[in-house]
Amino acid sequence: MSFQKKHTKTHSTYAFESNTNSVAASQMRNALNKLADSVKDDEELRNRFENQLDSFFSLFRRYLVEKSSGNTLDWEKIKSPSAEEVIPYKSLSEHQPESVSSLSKLAVLKLNGGLGTSMGCVGPKSVIEVREGNTFLDLSVRQIEYLNRQYDSDVPLLLMNSFNTDKDTEHLIKKYSANRIRIRSFNQSRYPRVFKDSLLPVPTHYDDPLDSWYPPGHGDLFESLHASGELDALIAQGREILFVSNGDNLGATVDLKILNHMIDTGAEYIMELTDKTRADVKGGTLISYDGQVRLLEVAQVPKEHIDEFKNIRKFTNFNTNNLWINLKAVKRLVESTALQMEIIPNGKTIKRNGQEVNVLQLETACGAAIRHFEGAHGVVVPRSRFLPVKTCSDLLLVKSDLFYLEHGSLTIDPSRFGPNPLIKLGSDYKKVSGFNARIPHIPKIVELDHLTITGNVYLGKNVTLKGTVIIVCSDGHKIDIPNGSVLENVVITGNLQILEH
């Protein structure tokens, strides 16, 4: 007689894991104490460093517990959010007229910790040139400066840097000193990476090389805002609400309707969601779980339910990471250590003694904090508020004639019909240098639906693309698209050289 044995953890397995965990935790604690001791003569620096290591340790301990208890969501309990938990943007405009006085309660924060490495750039991503000589940072500054001029307000801009972007950003901010805007920057934490096999910290000294450390994701915003003193400073100035967005999202401008809605409802946290398209199937989405609003990320979804998660009919919208957060609520939650966001373990490799070594960095996301705030809900905003630039395909879109630049904001051409075109550029365009060399003149794309370019393709001046355009160049060949070409619903393959006449 044979029967299937169900794999449930026995008491002895739990006991073994909890012993293993307590050994790993105490070894980590000892290693972190030694790390703190490596700061000798600067007491203020040592205190700051010790505080960061303490925060890291509580994250690490939580990671051990969650890993052994298999702390996953029960898929059966996941429900779609109610009408109060996610509301449409157009329902906001039915209420009050836009009150400008609320701007005195607002501060704006851009997440500025990312490097431009994935696009082949050195330094902060925020200094990549986007449009007419303006970088991401220039556009953010121009948007807020225009807002302050237009409404005679004094909304400050904060930048949360990482140790990777701090020095370059400090240098860049100086050029705005004559502008009508107050810019403050502070650093997010610097946590030690952990060896995957021994679960011990990579660095043994405060001054160990940069690849021993990592910035722990934007969920670190709350802790860092508090530790830097910026949180108390904002509250002292009478600021109540912080509008947070990614530094590379060019659609994330201050919206008075959402600001006033937040003040009227007394919500402590509002997340902007937008409708999913087939390009956004991996984006985190809001769910209702055990009577509270939560963010569900693709990393939390059991493998057998991934297709369901990506189904745009079941989960219709996703998190843009445009967040409106009450500052006093942040202070309350940080000081009572109540903010426990889901941990995202991120595997990386570093080189040590010529060998590739696997390391872990434990990160959190600020969207996941939504469940800790009172009255938190989502607002489904127009797609125009989500215009991120993650790749050179995105860069082509925002540099094109599809948008025009107005006071630092990108506005879509009114003659455009339908959603933004889907653009896929091959590996030759992965880096900004390869993109600029092959597409030195941005084509006209107001009537484009879909563009795919792979291989060594060069676009001439004044090229117009319409409908669906697919250009595939064979390996070792080159395709030149002549100046002034109009390509509409075409597939071009092989090689095509234009001879000079």
Side-chain angles (χ1 to χ4, degrees):
M1 172 181 138
S2 70
F3 56 86
Q4 288 296 144
K5 186 172 175 200
K6 195 159 180 258
H7 284 284
T8 52
K9 288 190 179 178
T10 61
H11 285 302
S12 59
T13 312
Y14 276 121
F16 172 75
E17 283 180 348
S18 83
N19 289 341
T20 318
N21 285 352
S22 57
V23 170
S26 65
Q27 287 181 331
M28 174 61 81
R29 185 67 269 181
N30 292 339
L32 295 178
N33 292 344
K34 283 188 184 136
L35 199 48
D37 289 341
S38 69
V39 179
K40 291 284 185 262
D41 303 321
D42 186 333
E43 195 166 334
E44 191 189 335
L45 176 66
R46 184 187 163 118
N47 286 340
R48 242 194 353 258
F49 187 44
E50 274 185 343
N51 287 340
Q52 284 194 9
L53 293 179
D54 286 347
S55 299
F56 168 75
F57 182 62
S58 61
L59 186 69
F60 177 74
R61 225 175 26 201
R62 241 178 65 222
Y63 164 70
L64 293 176
V65 172
E66 285 181 18
K67 194 166 66 114
S68 60
S69 64
N71 195 358
T72 48
L73 294 176
D74 178 351
W75 192 257
E76 302 308 314
K77 286 190 186 173
I78 291 175
K79 296 189 170 48
S80 296
S82 68
E84 291 79 52
E85 289 169 332
V86 171
I87 62 173
Y89 179 78
K90 54 179 182 294
S91 72
L92 308 186
S93 51
E94 291 161 7
H95 306 306
Q96 82 294 353
E98 290 192 352
S99 156
V100 175
S101 61
S102 51
L103 287 172
S104 63
K105 297 176 177 173
L106 181 71
V108 172
L109 183 138
K110 288 282 181 185
L111 300 167
N112 187 47
L115 291 168
T117 41
S118 63
M119 291 169 76
C121 295
V122 179
K125 188 172 181 186
S126 55
V127 303
I128 295 176
E129 190 182 311
V130 185
R131 221 44 222 211
E132 297 160 30
N134 290 282
T135 63
F136 287 110
L137 194 53
D138 291 336
L139 294 177
S140 296
V141 170
R142 283 181 61 184
Q143 286 171 12
I144 307 260
E145 193 179 30
Y146 174 67
L147 181 84
N148 285 339
R149 247 201 338 267
Q150 188 186 13
Y151 296 120
D152 195 25
S153 55
D154 181 27
V155 174
L157 174 66
L158 286 90
L159 302 171
M160 181 167 86
N161 303 327
S162 65
F163 60 83
N164 290 317
T165 61
D166 177 44
K167 286 237 180 344
D168 290 334
T169 305
E170 278 309 311
H171 178 67
L172 289 165
I173 293 176
K174 291 195 175 82
K175 72 174 182 180
Y176 306 119
S177 55
N179 297 45
R180 179 173 173 161
I181 183 168
R182 290 185 295 136
I183 304 178
R184 304 277 303 164
S185 69
F186 63 97
N187 268 9
Q188 71 173 116
S189 307
R190 185 182 80 149
Y191 281 0
R193 282 176 160 166
V194 175
F195 288 118
K196 198 172 175 193
D197 52 3
S198 67
L199 289 183
L200 285 170
V202 173
T204 54
H205 193 282
Y206 180 81
D207 291 325
D208 274 5
L210 283 187
D211 68 357
S212 307
W213 311 90
Y214 72 99
H218 42 63
D220 179 53
L221 162 72
F222 308 104
E223 191 87 36
S224 298
L225 193 62
H226 186 270
S228 64
E230 294 296 336
L231 178 63
D232 284 337
L234 288 169
I235 292 172
Q237 291 161 26
R239 306 285 158 182
E240 293 174 20
I241 291 168
L242 187 66
F243 172 45
V244 178
S245 63
N246 294 345
D248 64 6
N249 180 4
L250 295 172
T253 54
V254 170
D255 186 294
L256 280 167
K257 286 194 181 104
I258 300 176
L259 175 62
N260 291 327
H261 165 75
M262 183 159 179
I263 291 169
D264 286 352
T265 56
E268 291 184 343
Y269 189 114
I270 288 176
M271 175 184 286
E272 292 186 37
L273 306 160
T274 194
D275 289 337
K276 268 191 186 185
T277 65
R278 300 221 174 272
D280 320 299
V281 290
K282 286 185 176 167
T285 190
L286 280 191
I287 56 169
S288 192
Y289 191 87
D290 278 349
Q292 61 176 189
V293 187
R294 286 172 79 149
L295 180 67
L296 176 66
E297 297 275 16
V298 66
Q300 296 165 274
V301 177
K303 284 195 177 56
E304 64 273 21
H305 293 291
I306 290 281
D307 288 343
E308 203 180 332
F309 175 78
K310 290 182 177 179
N311 181 338
I312 60 177
R313 280 188 296 282
K314 182 173 170 89
F315 296 107
T316 53
N317 42 51
F318 70 97
N319 170 25
T320 62
N321 222 35
N322 299 349
L323 309 169
W324 300 75
I325 305 170
N326 181 292
L327 291 165
K328 284 186 176 157
V330 171
K331 186 173 167 70
R332 181 188 79 231
L333 290 165
V334 169
E335 291 179 355
S336 60
T337 59
L339 281 173
Q340 306 221 324
M341 285 91 83
E342 285 74 14
I343 296 168
I344 307 155
N346 193 348
K348 301 276 180 185
T349 55
I350 56 172
K351 274 219 158 72
R352 286 294 180 270
N353 307 324
Q355 299 286 315
E356 295 264 314
V357 185
N358 289 329
V359 295
L360 266 185
Q361 45 192 56
L362 305 177
E363 301 173 12
T364 58
C366 53
I370 188 165
R371 63 193 174 104
H372 297 292
F373 289 82
E374 302 290 323
H377 58 276
V379 174
V380 183
V381 297
R383 183 73 188 198
S384 57
R385 292 189 58 72
F386 184 66
L387 203 57
V389 180
K390 304 286 181 205
T391 62
C392 289
S393 303
D394 299 332
L395 200 55
L396 173 57
L397 192 66
V398 298
K399 279 178 177 279
S400 75
D401 63 335
L402 192 58
F403 298 95
Y404 57 94
L405 189 60
E406 196 177 32
H407 312 301
S409 299
L410 291 183
T411 308
I412 199 154
D413 184 310
S415 65
R416 171 72 187 178
F417 175 76
N420 290 346
L422 197 56
I423 297 175
K424 293 182 177 172
L425 302 178
S427 54
D428 291 300
Y429 306 83
K430 186 170 162 53
K431 296 188 171 172
V432 173
S433 53
F435 171 85
N436 287 340
R438 291 176 177 78
I439 309 182
H441 310 283
I442 301 295
K444 297 183 174 67
I445 63 167
V446 171
E447 294 177 53
L448 176 73
D449 297 320
H450 181 117
L451 171 68
T452 297
I453 302 181
T454 61
N456 200 19
V457 178
Y458 286 75
L459 296 192
K461 272 184 198 161
N462 297 322
V463 171
T464 303
L465 306 174
K466 300 179 179 185
T468 297
V469 177
I470 297 171
I471 307 173
V472 180
C473 180
S474 334
D475 273 355
H477 292 284
K478 179 179 175 191
I479 292 180
D480 276 311
I481 302 297
N483 294 345
S485 302
V486 177
L487 306 180
E488 181 168 8
N489 295 327
V490 289
V491 176
I492 298 171
T493 57
N495 66 330
L496 175 69
Q497 301 262 218
I498 306 301
L499 302 175
E500 297 294 326
H501 290 286

